[in-house]
Amino acid sequence: MKHIKIIAKILDEKEKKLKPNCNLNNFIWDSMAKINLINFINEKYNKNINIKKIKSIKTVKELDELINFTIKK
């Protein structure tokens, strides 16, 4: 996973606890975490993450893929 450091920061979790198939509901993946992710990506990469896609994300791997997709576009 390319963006594990970002995900760990957003979820306020240690990187080693974040496995690709982990369900985000096992962590603090609430509206505030989602807002923090949106702000982080916007400030660091000047990109806007798709809010509708954030709602459908279920696993750490899916979140990593969304971040990767957003940063590359």
Side-chain angles (χ1 to χ4, degrees), residues 29-70:
W29 181 238
D30 57 6
S31 57
M32 198 62 197
K34 294 171 186 173
I35 291 169
N36 287 339
L37 174 64
I38 292 166
N39 287 335
F40 182 84
I41 298 298
N42 187 270
E43 289 176 11
K44 181 159 178 128
Y45 299 101
N46 199 26
K47 301 282 184 172
N48 293 315
I49 201 160
N50 187 318
I51 295 169
K52 288 182 182 178
K53 288 187 179 181
I54 288 178
K55 291 179 181 180
S56 67
I57 297 293
K58 302 283 187 239
T59 66
V60 172
K61 181 180 178 185
E62 290 174 349
L63 182 55
D64 184 64
E65 290 169 352
L66 177 62
I67 294 168
N68 192 47
F69 173 80
T70 302

